[in-house]
Amino acid sequence: MDKKQLRWFNIALIAFNMVWGIGNVVNNYAQQGISVVTSWILILVLYFIPYALIVGQLGSAFKDSSGGVSSWVQNTSTKRLAYYAAWTYWVVHIPYLAQKPQAILIALGWAVQGNGNIVNTMSVSMVSIISLVIFLAFLWLSTKGLTTLKLIGGIAGTATFIMSILFILFAVGAPMINSDVHFATPHMEQVSTYIPKFNFGYFTTVSMLVFAVGGAEKISPYVNATKNPAREFPKGMIFLAAMVGLSAVLGSFAMGMLFASNNIPEDLMANGAYSAFQILGNYYGVGNLLMIIYALTNGLGQIAALAFSIDAPLKILLADADPEYVPAALRKRNAKGTLVNGYLLTGILVSIIIVLPLFGIENMNELVKWLTNLNSVVMPMRYLWVFFAYMMLNKAYKKFQSEYKFVKNPKVGFIFGLWCFLFTAFACILGMVPKIDFDADPKAWFFQLTINILTPIVLILLGMLLPWFARRDKNKKVKSTVTTVQ
């Protein structure tokens, strides 16, 4: 059987399922309003299309590498940098894991209560305690294996993805079905409504857009499974960009119909998707049905994402970790083969992020917004290694061959890689600026800024410490051996 069975439309659909979701629309609309439509078009053309095609060439050049981004970095540079790439891939999941218990709590609240009161009434201390309990429970369960839960989560994740597509269809079709539907955002027929104000505040929100379209490196294993990669893979990626663009633009337009762009609800990031389905359910005469279906599927998807994201990134980091860079204590396994201290380190770091808001955030709504923004700062750090590997690939273009090439000229390829690297770094750095009004609460503003800056720095420094511990382990073994011989 020919292994190269995938066509360009197969690649596009696989990638779309990996990259896209209704949360991308809601979070970015919450920050930019209806003008995000223009931002989506710009980010797709200037960033996402080159990013996806870069991943395609890397995947094609290193088709036999199983380690993903860290393998690409090792092949194009050094083992030390490959370790840092693997560490980054793992450690950026720490804030992500800290946010998942909240998402589970919100989904269950909407499914059971039928409203978002859990966000608007529950104290930060209570949320932190419950989130910590949920996380620690799943951390413990992850050490036991969660195959069934992950399977259920995969189904729920696909269902949530389908709901995000249906959201657009339901919203855009609502005015034709129900004559009582009116647009919440004024002047949606005017082009000027969709033009952003390109000021400093605008650029601090770009990291959320980068976060939304990131993750294309997951597509890489499929490049060489495509019939004629040089022709069909870029075709698939262009189709992917078109689907993402259409979903983003129509999704944002639908959000503008439901929520006034000039008066965005404070709890939109936390409750927006659920409120949107609730409104649409009322338009179509089915009450809370759409919202409950979305809440249940999204809740299950969040549970599985929590379990999977504890387990998978840790295994990528430690399963075949180089003793030169990762100390023996962290690679330790128990009788069942569980990476005991790896899970312990995960537990400590995530628990710290979960309890930090107790010292400077006053309500759950701000907590959700802060953690979402923190993720948009930290998570894209892993994409930097993709672009670094691509630049190094172009520097040593004679050494590596690939069936698919984004651009044939290595100098032009290097410039594309550099552009995407600098744009990602720019977005991450400006994304650290808090999205709350400084004058309204300067104490909270400085707290969020401090945590946003310190979190990535501390996580990176921790990764730099591990090779030192590994060298110490090695020196102890050498001394022990010399003593034994004497």
Side-chain angles (χ1 to χ4, degrees):
M1 183 184 287
D2 183 9
K3 290 183 179 179
K4 297 195 172 188
Q5 300 178 50
L6 296 180
R7 298 297 307 275
W8 59 270
F9 48 86
N10 300 129
I11 287 287
L13 289 170
I14 291 168
F16 188 57
N17 204 4
M18 288 177 174
V19 169
W20 200 245
I22 191 173
N24 296 326
V25 174
V26 174
N27 291 338
N28 282 285
Y29 185 86
Q31 289 202 335
Q32 294 190 22
I34 197 66
S35 65
V36 76
V37 167
T38 302
S39 300
W40 281 123
I41 295 168
L42 290 173
I43 201 78
L44 289 168
V45 173
L46 297 175
Y47 184 79
F48 181 65
I49 293 175
Y51 174 19
L53 297 177
I54 281 170
V55 165
Q57 184 170 342
L58 285 163
S60 182
F62 307 114
K63 56 188 174 185
D64 299 320
S65 298
S66 58
V69 178
S70 59
S71 293
W72 300 344
V73 173
Q74 183 167 337
N75 279 299
T76 55
S77 56
T78 65
K79 284 170 64 178
R80 177 176 289 275
L81 289 177
Y83 154 72
Y84 285 124
W87 171 263
T88 304
Y89 182 87
W90 173 73
V91 86
V92 296
H93 283 82
I94 297 300
Y96 178 79
L97 289 171
Q99 189 178 27
K100 285 300 162 191
Q102 289 176 20
I104 293 167
L105 205 57
I106 294 167
L108 292 177
W110 275 94
V112 175
Q113 297 178 328
N115 57 51
N117 286 347
I118 202 166
V119 172
N120 299 315
T121 60
M122 194 174 283
S123 67
V124 171
S125 57
M126 183 59 69
V127 173
S128 296
I129 291 167
I130 295 173
S131 296
L132 190 58
V133 170
I134 292 172
F135 168 71
L136 293 176
F138 277 97
L139 182 69
W140 178 77
L141 286 171
S142 291
T143 65
K144 310 298 177 186
L146 286 167
T147 307
T148 305
L149 182 59
K150 289 170 188 174
L151 177 63
I152 294 169
I155 297 168
T158 303
T160 306
F161 165 76
I162 292 169
M163 289 296 288
S164 71
I165 303 301
L166 289 177
F167 164 68
I168 295 168
L169 297 176
F170 284 145
V172 173
M176 292 177 275
I177 302 295
N178 189 332
S179 58
D180 293 332
V181 174
H182 67 280
F183 290 0
T185 300
H187 310 303
M188 287 185 70
E189 76 286 357
Q190 297 178 10
V191 175
S192 58
T193 305
Y194 302 91
I195 306 302
K197 294 179 180 178
F198 294 104
N199 53 24
F200 180 76
Y202 171 84
F203 288 109
T204 66
T205 65
V206 171
S207 63
M208 192 68 75
L209 292 163
V210 172
F211 181 35
V213 298
E217 64 277 0
K218 296 174 187 174
I219 306 162
S220 61
Y222 301 98
V223 179
N224 291 294
T226 311
K227 285 185 177 181
N228 192 354
R231 185 168 59 87
E232 295 226 345
F233 186 81
K235 193 175 178 181
M237 290 302 97
I238 298 298
F239 188 60
L240 165 66
M243 287 195 296
V244 168
L246 198 63
S247 300
V249 169
L250 290 179
S252 300
F253 185 83
M255 291 296 291
M257 289 170 55
L258 303 175
F259 304 101
S261 180
N262 56 357
N263 188 26
I264 294 172
E266 283 293 316
D267 64 344
L268 194 68
M269 272 195 189
N271 290 327
Y274 305 99
S275 295
F277 276 111
Q278 190 173 52
I279 294 169
L280 289 175
N282 290 327
Y283 283 160
Y284 282 89
V286 293
N288 282 342
L289 180 63
L290 294 178
M291 179 274 291
I292 291 170
I293 293 171
Y294 177 74
L296 291 173
T297 54
N298 189 46
L300 281 173
Q302 297 289 352
I303 287 169
L306 174 58
F308 184 76
S309 297
I310 289 171
D311 189 53
L314 189 65
K315 284 180 178 174
I316 290 171
L317 174 66
L318 298 178
D320 299 308
D322 192 328
E324 192 175 338
Y325 303 107
V326 180
L330 206 54
R331 291 180 282 113
K332 179 185 175 184
R333 294 176 184 268
N334 63 13
K336 294 181 180 178
T338 304
L339 293 156
V340 184
N341 291 331
Y343 281 101
L344 181 61
L345 180 61
T346 303
I348 292 169
L349 293 177
V350 175
S351 297
I352 290 170
I353 298 288
I354 288 174
V355 301
L356 267 178
L358 291 172
F359 303 99
I361 294 179
E362 295 181 357
N363 61 72
M364 186 176 177
N365 182 44
E366 281 303 323
L367 174 58
V368 171
K369 289 197 284 188
W370 168 68
L371 257 182
T372 305
N373 279 298
L374 180 63
N375 271 293
S376 78
V377 170
V378 175
M379 192 63 81
M381 286 165 52
R382 63 182 171 148
Y383 314 150
L384 293 171
W385 290 107
V386 174
F387 306 128
F388 171 79
Y390 185 67
M391 286 189 284
M392 295 301 102
L393 178 69
N394 279 282
K395 284 190 76 174
Y397 68 98
K398 292 180 180 178
K399 185 179 174 183
F400 304 106
Q401 298 299 319
S402 58
E403 287 185 69
Y404 162 68
K405 288 185 178 178
F406 169 32
V407 286
K408 292 183 179 179
N409 187 314
K411 290 182 179 178
V412 175
F414 185 91
I415 290 169
F416 268 110
L418 181 62
W419 156 251
C420 289
F421 184 96
L422 293 175
F423 185 83
T424 305
F426 167 81
C428 288
I429 292 167
L430 282 190
M432 293 176 182
V433 178
K435 309 305 182 291
I436 58 175
D437 184 7
F438 174 81
D439 293 328
D441 195 345
K443 183 181 175 183
W445 192 92
F446 276 115
F447 173 80
Q448 290 190 26
L449 179 65
T450 303
I451 300 301
N452 290 349
I453 293 172
L454 286 180
T455 299
I457 291 173
V458 170
L459 294 178
I460 291 168
L461 286 176
L462 187 59
M464 295 175 74
L465 281 175
L466 292 189
W468 180 82
F469 286 115
R471 282 196 302 273
R472 195 179 67 168
D473 281 353
K474 189 177 179 180
N475 292 336
K476 279 184 180 179
K477 284 182 180 179
V478 170
K479 287 179 182 179
S480 177
T481 304
V482 170
T483 304
T484 304
V485 169
Q486 288 176 347

